[in-house]
Amino acid sequence: MKFAIYSRKSKFTEKGDSVENQVIMCKEFIEKNFKDIESILVYEDEGFSGGNTNRPEFQRLLKDAKEKKFDVLICYRLDRISRNIAHFSLLINQLQELGISFISIREQFDTSTPMGRAMMYIASVFAQLERETIAERVRDNMLELAKSGRWLGGKRHLALKVKQLNILMKT
């Protein structure tokens, strides 16, 4: 059996511990639960958001899936694959059409059953909700800081846009 492991971390750091740890845990899962291990391909995207699929290794994974280079895709958690429901659903459907199984080792979903697929989709809804809630909280905080004249960073044109927005809100 041929396996693929996908790991992702939004923030790029020199150490990359999180991405490496995800791969190690996925490899341990494979070795513990499968006997016929032919190969393990590893795809790592560090410094890329899960809010879209514009990630180099993720794109290579999709290409390799279409070329049937692996039978099972394994990831540490669902949100490592995507924090966008539409992207996640599309990937799961593509994998099913290609006959590729999907395993998330932390959530332990089984894509071969209707209940397993439903639980995966529910979890992906919460991943997207979390991403959108964080973005909203940051945006609101930036606006409040700009209103009080305490702009703490970012590009100058962003501060000007917030200031313009603030002026528009007052009129």
Side-chain angles (χ1 to χ4, degrees), residues 13 19 24 33 39 47 55 58 69 79 82 105 113 115 119 139 170:
T13 60
V19 170
I24 289 168
N33 293 286
S39 64
R55 298 172 256 151
F58 186 78
K69 290 188 177 180
D79 66 359
S82 181
I105 66 170
T113 67
M115 184 58 77
M119 293 305 294
R139 209 171 24 252
K170 288 180 181 178

Side-chain angles (χ1 to χ4, degrees), residues 88-89 92-93 96 116-126:
F88 182 78
S89 298
I92 294 303
N93 289 336
Q96 286 175 337
R117 285 189 298 277
M119 293 305 294
M120 263 196 325
Y121 288 120
I122 290 168
S124 71
V125 167
F126 284 106

Side-chain angles (χ1 to χ4, degrees), residues 43-86:
Y43 304 86
E44 298 177 0
D45 278 319
E46 187 167 2
F48 292 92
S49 168
N52 62 60
T53 59
N54 298 329
R55 298 172 256 151
E57 287 294 288
F58 186 78
Q59 291 301 317
R60 188 169 71 90
L61 177 140
L62 293 176
K63 180 180 171 283
D64 288 353
K66 291 173 186 167
E67 295 174 5
K68 305 278 190 171
K69 290 188 177 180
F70 55 90
D71 307 305
V72 180
L73 172 58
I74 296 185
C75 70
Y76 172 68
R77 287 183 44 186
L78 291 176
D79 66 359
R80 300 301 84 200
I81 292 290
S82 181
R83 287 181 171 256
N84 178 296
I85 300 164

Side-chain angles (χ1 to χ4, degrees), residues 87-105:
H87 296 152
F88 182 78
S89 298
L90 182 64
L91 174 69
I92 294 303
N93 289 336
Q94 287 175 337
L95 293 175
Q96 286 175 337
E97 288 172 9
L98 295 167
I100 297 172
S101 299
F102 173 78
I103 298 172
S104 169
I105 66 170

Side-chain angles (χ1 to χ4, degrees), residues 1-4 30 33-41 69-74 99 101 103:
M1 193 173 273
K2 297 180 281 188
F3 295 88
I30 292 168
N33 293 286
F34 298 92
K35 301 222 183 302
D36 182 26
I37 304 168
E38 188 178 320
S39 64
I40 301 174
L41 300 171
K69 290 188 177 180
F70 55 90
D71 307 305
V72 180
L73 172 58
I74 296 185
S101 299
I103 298 172

